[in-house]
Amino acid sequence: MEQIGTALDVLGTNDHLGSAIGEDPARHVALVQEFLSTAMDCTGGLAQCLELAHGEASPLLYTGPEDGPEEEPCREGMCQCHCVGIGHPCGCDCPHDDDCGCDACDAIEQY
């Protein structure tokens, strides 16, 4: 953010900025720099809050069931062919080790 403010300042100082609405570009540069400075102040607080939240979350442990649900029933349109990323005809989202019947798997089987 500092670099943006500095770049605008340099461009304005060298008369390389204009205003599409006919105002003094220096006014816009000053306001941009002010808002960027305020944003930097806000992000400092945000970073501190995120760090504190991370610190409090660090000791948490998952104590729920270790086994996931049994294989979910196939749902149309959710499955991905792991060989080329196209949908399986069955429509499930389960990984398939068997031939899914797509052209890519058929081509692999021929070799």
Side-chain angles (χ1 to χ4, degrees):
M1 288 189 229
E2 286 180 28
Q3 292 174 345
I4 293 170
T6 301
L8 288 174
D9 192 40
V10 169
L11 290 170
T13 301
N14 291 318
D15 292 324
H16 294 300
L17 290 177
S19 171
I21 57 175
E23 295 182 354
D24 181 13
R27 177 183 167 279
H28 293 286
V29 169
L31 288 172
V32 168
Q33 290 172 329
E34 180 182 335
F35 292 131
L36 289 173
S37 177
T38 301
M40 287 189 313
D41 292 342
C42 291
T43 59
L46 174 63
Q48 182 180 9
C49 288
L50 290 172
E51 182 63 32
L52 290 169
H54 177 261
E56 292 301 319
S58 292
L60 295 175
L61 300 171
Y62 176 74
T63 60
E66 290 188 29
D67 295 320
E70 294 297 319
E71 186 174 321
E72 295 183 20
C74 291
R75 293 181 300 257
E76 188 172 339
M78 298 298 290
C79 190
Q80 291 290 312
C81 176
H82 294 281
C83 56
V84 293
I86 59 174
H88 276 286
C90 66
C92 75
D93 60 357
C94 311
H96 288 272
D97 295 327
D98 57 340
D99 177 13
C100 67
C102 72
D103 292 339
C105 286
D106 290 343
I108 293 169
E109 252 183 36
Q110 293 176 1
Y111 296 101

